[in-house]
Amino acid sequence: MSEPEKVNGDLSSLLLDYPYSFPYANQEKDIRLIPPIEVINELLESGGDSGGMSPGCTWNGMSISEEEYEKLIQELLKFDYEFNKGRNPYAPKKLILDEELNKKFPKKEDWERQQILKYVGVHEFIEFYDEYEPSLFFKSENYGTIEIFGTAGGPRYFGRLNSNKDIKSLICERVKIINRIDMIHEWIEYDDRFDKIEWYKAEEKLSVSDSWGRQPKILEAYISDNSFISFKTDFKELKPIARNNI
């Protein structure tokens, strides 16, 4: 909320000053992971972000070589939080390197997903991770994809169904505006696409593909006459594999 401060320093200090450089290995202990070089370079090339109302920092976009990356790893692993916390206030208390994870999943999207599965676990708000558009299934037939606009609390989502099939076969009965649909209207009341639309209760034999290779059942769904959809999944949390060992 104030003017940025210009800072001179080396590469490790730059990454330590950017609050989003290192994903969590253990959030409670503030232990974070050093990503592979491709992930680091994608971040460096982006030039950072001001953070809006949160802390952030920006720089001129760049990339580093394998040799520079190896040097960076050594500097980060030696980072002394207690000694440097006044100089790098957003630095994690500890950084670790998962060489197996980095070697097996060097690409950013793959690495981030595997880092979540291994160290963070999957909660309901990342059932559909990033910009993933789930496929909707009626029985075993694929009815298209859902562009998700947001969540209305719990594992309940709303969006638009993109399908070239006749979606009337998915509809059971016309319904009045109900509490859950009211939540959608209230959440995006500025959007005139939601004015004067009819809602229908959908068939019970629906499921979706999530971002983690699963196909959870849809417990309750409503579809509008212009393909908007509100649905609740039978979400099951995925516990992290390695966090408790750190």
Side-chain angles (χ1 to χ4, degrees), residues 67-96:
E67 184 178 351
E68 290 170 316
Y69 174 70
E70 292 300 325
K71 181 181 177 183
L72 173 66
I73 288 174
Q74 298 310 312
E75 291 174 353
L76 292 172
L77 290 176
K78 293 176 183 176
F79 177 73
D80 187 328
Y81 170 78
E82 291 299 329
F83 181 77
N84 289 283
K85 62 183 177 182
R87 191 183 339 177
N88 304 110
Y90 305 116
K93 291 184 178 178
K94 185 179 179 181
L95 283 161
I96 63 173

PDB file of all heavy atoms in Angstrom, residues 67-96:
ATOM      1  N   GLU A  67      24.663 -24.173 -13.933  1.00  0.00           N
ATOM      2  CA  GLU A  67      25.753 -23.869 -12.997  1.00  0.00           C
ATOM      3  C   GLU A  67      25.306 -22.842 -11.956  1.00  0.00           C
ATOM      4  O   GLU A  67      25.595 -22.982 -10.765  1.00  0.00           O
ATOM      5  CB  GLU A  67      26.964 -23.340 -13.776  1.00  0.00           C
ATOM      6  CG  GLU A  67      28.180 -23.083 -12.917  1.00  0.00           C
ATOM      7  CD  GLU A  67      29.379 -22.601 -13.717  1.00  0.00           C
ATOM      8  OE1 GLU A  67      29.314 -22.631 -14.964  1.00  0.00           O
ATOM      9  OE2 GLU A  67      30.379 -22.192 -13.090  1.00  0.00           O
ATOM     10  N   GLU A  68      24.601 -21.819 -12.414  1.00  0.00           N
ATOM     11  CA  GLU A  68      24.102 -20.804 -11.482  1.00  0.00           C
ATOM     12  C   GLU A  68      23.049 -21.394 -10.540  1.00  0.00           C
ATOM     13  O   GLU A  68      22.975 -21.012  -9.363  1.00  0.00           O
ATOM     14  CB  GLU A  68      23.515 -19.627 -12.262  1.00  0.00           C
ATOM     15  CG  GLU A  68      24.569 -18.804 -12.989  1.00  0.00           C
ATOM     16  CD  GLU A  68      23.961 -17.800 -13.948  1.00  0.00           C
ATOM     17  OE1 GLU A  68      23.018 -18.183 -14.675  1.00  0.00           O
ATOM     18  OE2 GLU A  68      24.422 -16.631 -13.971  1.00  0.00           O
ATOM     19  N   TYR A  69      22.265 -22.314 -11.058  1.00  0.00           N
ATOM     20  CA  TYR A  69      21.240 -22.963 -10.239  1.00  0.00           C
ATOM     21  C   TYR A  69      21.885 -23.791  -9.129  1.00  0.00           C
ATOM     22  O   TYR A  69      21.443 -23.747  -7.975  1.00  0.00           O
ATOM     23  CB  TYR A  69      20.358 -23.835 -11.125  1.00  0.00           C
ATOM     24  CG  TYR A  69      19.344 -24.668 -10.371  1.00  0.00           C
ATOM     25  CD1 TYR A  69      18.251 -24.080  -9.744  1.00  0.00           C
ATOM     26  CD2 TYR A  69      19.493 -26.053 -10.281  1.00  0.00           C
ATOM     27  CE1 TYR A  69      17.318 -24.849  -9.044  1.00  0.00           C
ATOM     28  CE2 TYR A  69      18.557 -26.832  -9.592  1.00  0.00           C
ATOM     29  CZ  TYR A  69      17.483 -26.220  -8.978  1.00  0.00           C
ATOM     30  OH  TYR A  69      16.568 -26.991  -8.285  1.00  0.00           O
ATOM     31  N   GLU A  70      22.923 -24.542  -9.464  1.00  0.00           N
ATOM     32  CA  GLU A  70      23.616 -25.349  -8.447  1.00  0.00           C
ATOM     33  C   GLU A  70      24.217 -24.464  -7.370  1.00  0.00           C
ATOM     34  O   GLU A  70      24.161 -24.796  -6.173  1.00  0.00           O
ATOM     35  CB  GLU A  70      24.702 -26.201  -9.107  1.00  0.00           C
ATOM     36  CG  GLU A  70      24.173 -27.305 -10.012  1.00  0.00           C
ATOM     37  CD  GLU A  70      23.293 -28.299  -9.270  1.00  0.00           C
ATOM     38  OE1 GLU A  70      23.568 -28.574  -8.083  1.00  0.00           O
ATOM     39  OE2 GLU A  70      22.322 -28.809  -9.868  1.00  0.00           O
ATOM     40  N   LYS A  71      24.774 -23.350  -7.776  1.00  0.00           N
ATOM     41  CA  LYS A  71      25.331 -22.393  -6.798  1.00  0.00           C
ATOM     42  C   LYS A  71      24.213 -21.827  -5.917  1.00  0.00           C
ATOM     43  O   LYS A  71      24.375 -21.683  -4.690  1.00  0.00           O
ATOM     44  CB  LYS A  71      26.054 -21.262  -7.530  1.00  0.00           C
ATOM     45  CG  LYS A  71      26.675 -20.232  -6.593  1.00  0.00           C
ATOM     46  CD  LYS A  71      27.353 -19.120  -7.380  1.00  0.00           C
ATOM     47  CE  LYS A  71      27.916 -18.061  -6.430  1.00  0.00           C
ATOM     48  NZ  LYS A  71      28.517 -16.918  -7.167  1.00  0.00           N
ATOM     49  N   LEU A  72      23.068 -21.519  -6.538  1.00  0.00           N
ATOM     50  CA  LEU A  72      21.927 -20.985  -5.799  1.00  0.00           C
ATOM     51  C   LEU A  72      21.437 -21.983  -4.750  1.00  0.00           C
ATOM     52  O   LEU A  72      21.157 -21.604  -3.612  1.00  0.00           O
ATOM     53  CB  LEU A  72      20.792 -20.663  -6.782  1.00  0.00           C
ATOM     54  CG  LEU A  72      19.456 -20.250  -6.172  1.00  0.00           C
ATOM     55  CD1 LEU A  72      19.588 -18.912  -5.444  1.00  0.00           C
ATOM     56  CD2 LEU A  72      18.371 -20.171  -7.254  1.00  0.00           C
ATOM     57  N   ILE A  73      21.372 -23.262  -5.118  1.00  0.00           N
ATOM     58  CA  ILE A  73      20.933 -24.295  -4.178  1.00  0.00           C
ATOM     59  C   ILE A  73      21.809 -24.298  -2.932  1.00  0.00           C
ATOM     60  O   ILE A  73      21.320 -24.332  -1.797  1.00  0.00           O
ATOM     61  CB  ILE A  73      20.955 -25.688  -4.846  1.00  0.00           C
ATOM     62  CG1 ILE A  73      19.836 -25.822  -5.861  1.00  0.00           C
ATOM     63  CG2 ILE A  73      20.814 -26.786  -3.779  1.00  0.00           C
ATOM     64  CD1 ILE A  73      19.885 -27.114  -6.653  1.00  0.00           C
ATOM     65  N   GLN A  74      23.097 -24.276  -3.135  1.00  0.00           N
ATOM     66  CA  GLN A  74      24.022 -24.315  -1.999  1.00  0.00           C
ATOM     67  C   GLN A  74      23.841 -23.100  -1.091  1.00  0.00           C
ATOM     68  O   GLN A  74      23.889 -23.222   0.138  1.00  0.00           O
ATOM     69  CB  GLN A  74      25.470 -24.401  -2.509  1.00  0.00           C
ATOM     70  CG  GLN A  74      25.768 -25.656  -3.318  1.00  0.00           C
ATOM     71  CD  GLN A  74      25.322 -26.931  -2.607  1.00  0.00           C
ATOM     72  OE1 GLN A  74      25.606 -27.128  -1.418  1.00  0.00           O
ATOM     73  NE2 GLN A  74      24.618 -27.800  -3.335  1.00  0.00           N
ATOM     74  N   GLU A  75      23.636 -21.937  -1.682  1.00  0.00           N
ATOM     75  CA  GLU A  75      23.431 -20.732  -0.875  1.00  0.00           C
ATOM     76  C   GLU A  75      22.123 -20.811  -0.084  1.00  0.00           C
ATOM     77  O   GLU A  75      22.072 -20.436   1.100  1.00  0.00           O
ATOM     78  CB  GLU A  75      23.408 -19.503  -1.792  1.00  0.00           C
ATOM     79  CG  GLU A  75      24.765 -19.185  -2.409  1.00  0.00           C
ATOM     80  CD  GLU A  75      24.678 -18.046  -3.418  1.00  0.00           C
ATOM     81  OE1 GLU A  75      23.556 -17.604  -3.721  1.00  0.00           O
ATOM     82  OE2 GLU A  75      25.740 -17.619  -3.912  1.00  0.00           O
ATOM     83  N   LEU A  76      21.088 -21.312  -0.706  1.00  0.00           N
ATOM     84  CA  LEU A  76      19.786 -21.396  -0.041  1.00  0.00           C
ATOM     85  C   LEU A  76      19.788 -22.421   1.085  1.00  0.00           C
ATOM     86  O   LEU A  76      19.185 -22.202   2.143  1.00  0.00           O
ATOM     87  CB  LEU A  76      18.695 -21.740  -1.057  1.00  0.00           C
ATOM     88  CG  LEU A  76      18.378 -20.650  -2.090  1.00  0.00           C
ATOM     89  CD1 LEU A  76      17.426 -21.186  -3.146  1.00  0.00           C
ATOM     90  CD2 LEU A  76      17.793 -19.409  -1.421  1.00  0.00           C
ATOM     91  N   LEU A  77      20.484 -23.541   0.873  1.00  0.00           N
ATOM     92  CA  LEU A  77      20.541 -24.575   1.910  1.00  0.00           C
ATOM     93  C   LEU A  77      21.341 -24.111   3.126  1.00  0.00           C
ATOM     94  O   LEU A  77      21.137 -24.621   4.228  1.00  0.00           O
ATOM     95  CB  LEU A  77      21.140 -25.860   1.340  1.00  0.00           C
ATOM     96  CG  LEU A  77      20.258 -26.609   0.318  1.00  0.00           C
ATOM     97  CD1 LEU A  77      21.008 -27.802  -0.253  1.00  0.00           C
ATOM     98  CD2 LEU A  77      18.944 -27.059   0.951  1.00  0.00           C
ATOM     99  N   LYS A  78      22.220 -23.152   2.920  1.00  0.00           N
ATOM    100  CA  LYS A  78      23.020 -22.624   4.025  1.00  0.00           C
ATOM    101  C   LYS A  78      22.360 -21.421   4.698  1.00  0.00           C
ATOM    102  O   LYS A  78      22.900 -20.875   5.673  1.00  0.00           O
ATOM    103  CB  LYS A  78      24.402 -22.206   3.516  1.00  0.00           C
ATOM    104  CG  LYS A  78      25.270 -23.370   3.045  1.00  0.00           C
ATOM    105  CD  LYS A  78      26.578 -22.864   2.466  1.00  0.00           C
ATOM    106  CE  LYS A  78      27.445 -24.002   1.927  1.00  0.00           C
ATOM    107  NZ  LYS A  78      28.678 -23.495   1.278  1.00  0.00           N
ATOM    108  N   PHE A  79      21.215 -21.003   4.195  1.00  0.00           N
ATOM    109  CA  PHE A  79      20.562 -19.806   4.705  1.00  0.00           C
ATOM    110  C   PHE A  79      20.263 -19.943   6.193  1.00  0.00           C
ATOM    111  O   PHE A  79      19.690 -20.933   6.647  1.00  0.00           O
ATOM    112  CB  PHE A  79      19.272 -19.539   3.934  1.00  0.00           C
ATOM    113  CG  PHE A  79      18.498 -18.357   4.436  1.00  0.00           C
ATOM    114  CD1 PHE A  79      18.940 -17.074   4.195  1.00  0.00           C
ATOM    115  CD2 PHE A  79      17.323 -18.532   5.159  1.00  0.00           C
ATOM    116  CE1 PHE A  79      18.224 -15.980   4.651  1.00  0.00           C
ATOM    117  CE2 PHE A  79      16.599 -17.447   5.621  1.00  0.00           C
ATOM    118  CZ  PHE A  79      17.046 -16.159   5.366  1.00  0.00           C
ATOM    119  N   ASP A  80      20.662 -18.939   6.960  1.00  0.00           N
ATOM    120  CA  ASP A  80      20.454 -18.903   8.403  1.00  0.00           C
ATOM    121  C   ASP A  80      19.308 -17.940   8.706  1.00  0.00           C
ATOM    122  O   ASP A  80      19.473 -16.718   8.662  1.00  0.00           O
ATOM    123  CB  ASP A  80      21.740 -18.452   9.105  1.00  0.00           C
ATOM    124  CG  ASP A  80      21.646 -18.550  10.624  1.00  0.00           C
ATOM    125  OD1 ASP A  80      20.543 -18.359  11.168  1.00  0.00           O
ATOM    126  OD2 ASP A  80      22.684 -18.824  11.260  1.00  0.00           O
ATOM    127  N   TYR A  81      18.155 -18.480   9.019  1.00  0.00           N
ATOM    128  CA  TYR A  81      16.964 -17.656   9.213  1.00  0.00           C
ATOM    129  C   TYR A  81      17.129 -16.670  10.374  1.00  0.00           C
ATOM    130  O   TYR A  81      16.828 -15.483  10.248  1.00  0.00           O
ATOM    131  CB  TYR A  81      15.744 -18.550   9.453  1.00  0.00           C
ATOM    132  CG  TYR A  81      14.513 -17.797   9.890  1.00  0.00           C
ATOM    133  CD1 TYR A  81      13.746 -17.104   8.963  1.00  0.00           C
ATOM    134  CD2 TYR A  81      14.119 -17.766  11.234  1.00  0.00           C
ATOM    135  CE1 TYR A  81      12.613 -16.397   9.364  1.00  0.00           C
ATOM    136  CE2 TYR A  81      12.987 -17.066  11.630  1.00  0.00           C
ATOM    137  CZ  TYR A  81      12.243 -16.391  10.694  1.00  0.00           C
ATOM    138  OH  TYR A  81      11.135 -15.676  11.084  1.00  0.00           O
ATOM    139  N   GLU A  82      17.588 -17.161  11.509  1.00  0.00           N
ATOM    140  CA  GLU A  82      17.713 -16.302  12.686  1.00  0.00           C
ATOM    141  C   GLU A  82      18.679 -15.145  12.439  1.00  0.00           C
ATOM    142  O   GLU A  82      18.445 -14.026  12.883  1.00  0.00           O
ATOM    143  CB  GLU A  82      18.181 -17.131  13.890  1.00  0.00           C
ATOM    144  CG  GLU A  82      17.153 -18.123  14.403  1.00  0.00           C
ATOM    145  CD  GLU A  82      15.878 -17.455  14.883  1.00  0.00           C
ATOM    146  OE1 GLU A  82      15.958 -16.301  15.368  1.00  0.00           O
ATOM    147  OE2 GLU A  82      14.800 -18.066  14.780  1.00  0.00           O
ATOM    148  N   PHE A  83      19.743 -15.419  11.708  1.00  0.00           N
ATOM    149  CA  PHE A  83      20.747 -14.387  11.437  1.00  0.00           C
ATOM    150  C   PHE A  83      20.243 -13.370  10.415  1.00  0.00           C
ATOM    151  O   PHE A  83      20.572 -12.187  10.490  1.00  0.00           O
ATOM    152  CB  PHE A  83      22.037 -15.039  10.933  1.00  0.00           C
ATOM    153  CG  PHE A  83      23.142 -14.067  10.653  1.00  0.00           C
ATOM    154  CD1 PHE A  83      23.889 -13.510  11.682  1.00  0.00           C
ATOM    155  CD2 PHE A  83      23.426 -13.686   9.341  1.00  0.00           C
ATOM    156  CE1 PHE A  83      24.898 -12.595  11.422  1.00  0.00           C
ATOM    157  CE2 PHE A  83      24.443 -12.772   9.072  1.00  0.00           C
ATOM    158  CZ  PHE A  83      25.185 -12.227  10.109  1.00  0.00           C
ATOM    159  N   ASN A  84      19.408 -13.816   9.454  1.00  0.00           N
ATOM    160  CA  ASN A  84      19.041 -12.966   8.326  1.00  0.00           C
ATOM    161  C   ASN A  84      17.602 -12.462   8.335  1.00  0.00           C
ATOM    162  O   ASN A  84      17.208 -11.759   7.410  1.00  0.00           O
ATOM    163  CB  ASN A  84      19.260 -13.725   7.011  1.00  0.00           C
ATOM    164  CG  ASN A  84      20.727 -13.920   6.697  1.00  0.00           C
ATOM    165  OD1 ASN A  84      21.400 -13.006   6.264  1.00  0.00           O
ATOM    166  ND2 ASN A  84      21.210 -15.131   6.923  1.00  0.00           N
ATOM    167  N   LYS A  85      16.801 -12.819   9.358  1.00  0.00           N
ATOM    168  CA  LYS A  85      15.373 -12.483   9.291  1.00  0.00           C
ATOM    169  C   LYS A  85      15.110 -10.980   9.249  1.00  0.00           C
ATOM    170  O   LYS A  85      14.089 -10.542   8.712  1.00  0.00           O
ATOM    171  CB  LYS A  85      14.609 -13.130  10.441  1.00  0.00           C
ATOM    172  CG  LYS A  85      15.013 -12.688  11.826  1.00  0.00           C
ATOM    173  CD  LYS A  85      14.203 -13.476  12.871  1.00  0.00           C
ATOM    174  CE  LYS A  85      14.610 -13.119  14.286  1.00  0.00           C
ATOM    175  NZ  LYS A  85      13.851 -13.912  15.278  1.00  0.00           N
ATOM    176  N   GLY A  86      16.027 -10.180   9.767  1.00  0.00           N
ATOM    177  CA  GLY A  86      15.861  -8.734   9.671  1.00  0.00           C
ATOM    178  C   GLY A  86      16.096  -8.239   8.256  1.00  0.00           C
ATOM    179  O   GLY A  86      15.473  -7.273   7.809  1.00  0.00           O
ATOM    180  N   ARG A  87      16.956  -8.927   7.535  1.00  0.00           N
ATOM    181  CA  ARG A  87      17.284  -8.537   6.160  1.00  0.00           C
ATOM    182  C   ARG A  87      16.296  -9.133   5.161  1.00  0.00           C
ATOM    183  O   ARG A  87      15.990  -8.521   4.144  1.00  0.00           O
ATOM    184  CB  ARG A  87      18.705  -9.008   5.833  1.00  0.00           C
ATOM    185  CG  ARG A  87      19.245  -8.445   4.542  1.00  0.00           C
ATOM    186  CD  ARG A  87      20.619  -8.961   4.196  1.00  0.00           C
ATOM    187  NE  ARG A  87      21.362  -9.493   5.337  1.00  0.00           N
ATOM    188  CZ  ARG A  87      22.562 -10.035   5.224  1.00  0.00           C
ATOM    189  NH1 ARG A  87      23.146 -10.121   4.044  1.00  0.00           N
ATOM    190  NH2 ARG A  87      23.177 -10.502   6.285  1.00  0.00           N
ATOM    191  N   ASN A  88      15.811 -10.335   5.418  1.00  0.00           N
ATOM    192  CA  ASN A  88      14.862 -11.020   4.524  1.00  0.00           C
ATOM    193  C   ASN A  88      13.622 -11.423   5.326  1.00  0.00           C
ATOM    194  O   ASN A  88      13.477 -12.578   5.721  1.00  0.00           O
ATOM    195  CB  ASN A  88      15.500 -12.264   3.906  1.00  0.00           C
ATOM    196  CG  ASN A  88      16.792 -11.965   3.172  1.00  0.00           C
ATOM    197  OD1 ASN A  88      17.872 -12.339   3.614  1.00  0.00           O
ATOM    198  ND2 ASN A  88      16.685 -11.294   2.041  1.00  0.00           N
ATOM    199  N   PRO A  89      12.710 -10.480   5.582  1.00  0.00           N
ATOM    200  CA  PRO A  89      11.593 -10.722   6.506  1.00  0.00           C
ATOM    201  C   PRO A  89      10.598 -11.791   6.049  1.00  0.00           C
ATOM    202  O   PRO A  89       9.849 -12.325   6.858  1.00  0.00           O
ATOM    203  CB  PRO A  89      10.905  -9.356   6.604  1.00  0.00           C
ATOM    204  CG  PRO A  89      11.313  -8.632   5.354  1.00  0.00           C
ATOM    205  CD  PRO A  89      12.683  -9.103   5.052  1.00  0.00           C
ATOM    206  N   TYR A  90      10.554 -12.091   4.756  1.00  0.00           N
ATOM    207  CA  TYR A  90       9.581 -13.079   4.262  1.00  0.00           C
ATOM    208  C   TYR A  90      10.223 -14.427   3.974  1.00  0.00           C
ATOM    209  O   TYR A  90       9.589 -15.313   3.404  1.00  0.00           O
ATOM    210  CB  TYR A  90       8.890 -12.546   2.998  1.00  0.00           C
ATOM    211  CG  TYR A  90       8.248 -11.201   3.236  1.00  0.00           C
ATOM    212  CD1 TYR A  90       8.691 -10.062   2.564  1.00  0.00           C
ATOM    213  CD2 TYR A  90       7.216 -11.052   4.162  1.00  0.00           C
ATOM    214  CE1 TYR A  90       8.115  -8.827   2.803  1.00  0.00           C
ATOM    215  CE2 TYR A  90       6.639  -9.826   4.411  1.00  0.00           C
ATOM    216  CZ  TYR A  90       7.096  -8.709   3.720  1.00  0.00           C
ATOM    217  OH  TYR A  90       6.532  -7.490   3.965  1.00  0.00           O
ATOM    218  N   ALA A  91      11.469 -14.585   4.375  1.00  0.00           N
ATOM    219  CA  ALA A  91      12.162 -15.853   4.148  1.00  0.00           C
ATOM    220  C   ALA A  91      11.594 -16.951   5.043  1.00  0.00           C
ATOM    221  O   ALA A  91      11.188 -16.692   6.176  1.00  0.00           O
ATOM    222  CB  ALA A  91      13.654 -15.682   4.428  1.00  0.00           C
ATOM    223  N   PRO A  92      11.545 -18.190   4.543  1.00  0.00           N
ATOM    224  CA  PRO A  92      11.085 -19.307   5.387  1.00  0.00           C
ATOM    225  C   PRO A  92      12.110 -19.636   6.455  1.00  0.00           C
ATOM    226  O   PRO A  92      13.293 -19.286   6.331  1.00  0.00           O
ATOM    227  CB  PRO A  92      10.939 -20.456   4.384  1.00  0.00           C
ATOM    228  CG  PRO A  92      11.877 -20.124   3.283  1.00  0.00           C
ATOM    229  CD  PRO A  92      11.884 -18.634   3.175  1.00  0.00           C
ATOM    230  N   LYS A  93      11.684 -20.338   7.493  1.00  0.00           N
ATOM    231  CA  LYS A  93      12.608 -20.703   8.565  1.00  0.00           C
ATOM    232  C   LYS A  93      13.621 -21.748   8.107  1.00  0.00           C
ATOM    233  O   LYS A  93      14.728 -21.828   8.635  1.00  0.00           O
ATOM    234  CB  LYS A  93      11.823 -21.211   9.774  1.00  0.00           C
ATOM    235  CG  LYS A  93      11.029 -20.112  10.462  1.00  0.00           C
ATOM    236  CD  LYS A  93      10.344 -20.624  11.723  1.00  0.00           C
ATOM    237  CE  LYS A  93       9.595 -19.486  12.418  1.00  0.00           C
ATOM    238  NZ  LYS A  93       8.886 -19.951  13.630  1.00  0.00           N
ATOM    239  N   LYS A  94      13.229 -22.549   7.123  1.00  0.00           N
ATOM    240  CA  LYS A  94      14.144 -23.571   6.628  1.00  0.00           C
ATOM    241  C   LYS A  94      13.795 -23.914   5.190  1.00  0.00           C
ATOM    242  O   LYS A  94      12.622 -23.939   4.813  1.00  0.00           O
ATOM    243  CB  LYS A  94      14.061 -24.835   7.499  1.00  0.00           C
ATOM    244  CG  LYS A  94      15.067 -25.921   7.123  1.00  0.00           C
ATOM    245  CD  LYS A  94      14.939 -27.119   8.055  1.00  0.00           C
ATOM    246  CE  LYS A  94      15.936 -28.210   7.674  1.00  0.00           C
ATOM    247  NZ  LYS A  94      15.817 -29.393   8.565  1.00  0.00           N
ATOM    248  N   LEU A  95      14.832 -24.179   4.382  1.00  0.00           N
ATOM    249  CA  LEU A  95      14.641 -24.628   3.009  1.00  0.00           C
ATOM    250  C   LEU A  95      15.239 -26.019   2.847  1.00  0.00           C
ATOM    251  O   LEU A  95      16.304 -26.305   3.387  1.00  0.00           O
ATOM    252  CB  LEU A  95      15.319 -23.661   2.031  1.00  0.00           C
ATOM    253  CG  LEU A  95      14.572 -22.352   1.763  1.00  0.00           C
ATOM    254  CD1 LEU A  95      15.506 -21.306   1.190  1.00  0.00           C
ATOM    255  CD2 LEU A  95      13.394 -22.589   0.821  1.00  0.00           C
ATOM    256  N   ILE A  96      14.528 -26.873   2.110  1.00  0.00           N
ATOM    257  CA  ILE A  96      15.044 -28.216   1.854  1.00  0.00           C
ATOM    258  C   ILE A  96      14.974 -28.501   0.359  1.00  0.00           C
ATOM    259  O   ILE A  96      14.254 -27.836  -0.389  1.00  0.00           O
ATOM    260  CB  ILE A  96      14.264 -29.306   2.633  1.00  0.00           C
ATOM    261  CG1 ILE A  96      12.804 -29.347   2.193  1.00  0.00           C
ATOM    262  CG2 ILE A  96      14.394 -29.089   4.131  1.00  0.00           C
ATOM    263  CD1 ILE A  96      12.021 -30.495   2.785  1.00  0.00           C
TER     264      ILE A  96
END
